[in-house]
Amino acid sequence: METNGSNRAPGVRDVARVAGVSRQTVSRVMNEHPSIRDETRMRVLAAMEELRFRPNRAARMLSTARSTTIGILASSASTLFGPASSIDAVENAARAAGYFVTIAHVADTSAEEVDAALDHLAAQAVDGIVVVAPERPVVDALRSAAVGVPFVTLHGSQDPGGDGVFVDQVAGARLAVRHLLDLGHRRIAHLAGPPEWAEAAARQRGFTAELAAAGLEGIVTEPGDWTSASGARIGAALLAGAAERDVTAVFSSNDQMALGLLHALRSAGRRVPEDVSVVGFDDIPEAAYFAPPLTTVRQDFAELGRRCVARLLAEIDGAPPTPAATALAPIAPTLIPRSSTTVPA
């Protein structure tokens, strides 16, 4: 590798020298100017790679009036699997598009916290914002806030009048219930998630709708909080209820609560799947190693991140508003059958 003869990081002048072009040409390549010939662009990019050149962010901002930075506004729930996977997907997609990412967390769901997080992102001159905040109060607070830059919400279901990017949670729940119905189950319960989350509400709607389409009515438990502990507690209460003892299958709103349910079933002497079939949602990495391995619904977080970033960058570039039917086209989830489900005894 050719070096610049000192310990300093290589600069535009060094790239120009190695590529045999002017500094202005290097600058035009960095800013994706359309007048640059492909052969010249490839030569400059090869020089950048040879020198391990990294463009100076501040200098690029001055030349383009952009920070090439996307802000992520995340709720305190961002440590959970779904939000954490969404943030990771957005960050990967942004990096692939040549953008940096900065994250601002809200400590609670109040409008004041949302405003403070937006101020934090504005101070970093972000070009746009992705909102990863599944709780309805955060989304509601955002709608009344002065954002100041383009933003896209990444959430779990289609809200009336909304324009977010999302996985079709209703369809995912219906896939889970249809799987159980096809196996022959007719007494099915739903281990519900927290109702203030769009995902949980949508999964419950899907559960109810698929059963209603089959002329059946399911049992919906009290809401859990996404944790295995709540799944175990609510699962034990479900098993203790007189009317629920003939339940042969349970659709859990997420995999962690399904894990707690498996514990409750085992503690009660109920076998899975021989006595009770269990389906989860999310396909967390550990789901394949539950005892038994968990049938679940998988979300394509990578595609979610790509669509979200593509949508935001289009808005940053001033593209015409996307027609509602296209903007709201959901990402289809996938059922992953494993050995936690079987035909009822």
Side-chain angles (χ1 to χ4, degrees):
M1 180 186 76
E2 186 172 339
T3 68
N4 55 31
S6 72
N7 291 326
R8 67 175 177 83
V12 171
R13 189 187 302 274
D14 301 302
V15 174
R17 176 174 51 80
V18 172
V21 299
S22 69
R23 293 172 60 189
Q24 289 80 2
T25 297
V26 174
S27 178
R28 290 190 181 101
V29 170
M30 290 167 54
N31 295 321
E32 301 178 356
H33 198 283
S35 68
I36 300 297
R37 292 182 301 170
D38 288 342
E39 185 273 333
T40 303
R41 178 179 289 103
M42 295 304 296
R43 197 161 74 245
V44 171
L45 292 175
M48 289 179 177
E49 182 67 24
E50 178 183 343
L51 295 173
R52 297 184 180 178
F53 169 76
R54 298 293 180 265
N56 182 282
R57 183 180 178 189
R60 186 170 182 181
M61 184 176 175
L62 287 173
S63 66
T64 64
R66 288 188 181 178
S67 65
T68 60
T69 301
I70 289 175
I72 297 179
L73 189 150
S75 74
S76 58
S78 59
T79 56
L80 297 175
F81 178 77
S85 298
S86 298
I87 290 172
D88 184 61
V90 169
E91 186 170 11
N92 289 338
R95 188 184 305 115
Y99 274 72
F100 300 92
V101 168
T102 183
I103 303 176
H105 290 88
V106 294
D108 57 54
T109 59
S110 68
E112 292 77 14
E113 274 295 318
V114 172
D115 285 340
L118 290 174
D119 288 344
H120 176 77
L121 294 175
Q124 299 179 66
V126 297
D127 296 324
I129 296 174
V130 174
V131 182
V132 184
E135 302 98 326
R136 291 190 186 278
V138 176
V139 177
D140 292 341
L142 182 72
R143 285 173 177 164
S144 61
V147 179
V149 294
F151 72 95
V152 173
T153 57
L154 187 156
H155 52 75
S157 65
Q158 180 175 357
D159 289 333
D163 62 352
V165 179
F166 63 98
V167 173
D168 194 335
Q169 309 289 314
V170 171
R174 296 191 73 148
L175 280 175
V177 176
R178 173 47 53 189
H179 172 69
L180 295 171
L181 291 172
D182 288 346
L183 288 172
H185 294 278
R186 294 297 179 267
R187 287 288 289 167
I188 304 172
H190 176 48
L191 187 51
E196 66 273 15
W197 282 59
E199 285 90 343
R203 292 170 196 176
Q204 184 170 325
R205 289 199 305 273
F207 168 80
T208 302
E210 191 64 25
L211 284 177
L216 300 171
E217 186 175 346
I219 296 169
V220 178
T221 71
E222 65 174 283
D225 62 6
W226 297 130
T227 66
S228 298
S230 71
R233 175 179 56 79
I234 298 168
L238 175 69
L239 295 171
E244 288 79 11
R245 288 175 187 159
D246 60 345
V247 165
T248 63
V250 179
F251 164 50
S252 174
S253 197
N254 79 333
D255 290 347
Q256 285 94 342
M257 289 197 300
L259 176 60
L261 174 64
L262 292 176
H263 174 78
L265 288 165
R266 186 167 54 251
S267 298
R270 305 288 292 276
R271 300 169 300 165
V272 178
E274 294 85 355
D275 300 324
V276 180
S277 287
V278 177
V279 181
F281 205 109
D282 280 337
D283 193 28
I284 63 174
E286 298 82 4
Y289 303 97
F290 286 5
L294 184 67
T295 295
T296 186
V297 177
R298 176 181 296 165
Q299 304 188 70
D300 189 344
F301 288 108
E303 177 63 14
L304 188 67
R306 284 191 293 267
R307 287 196 194 184
C308 192
V309 169
R311 172 83 178 280
L312 182 62
L313 295 186
E315 293 196 16
I316 291 171
D317 290 336
T322 308
T326 303
L328 295 173
I331 298 170
T334 307
L335 180 76
I336 309 298
R338 296 193 180 101
S339 53
S340 67
T341 52
T342 191
V343 297

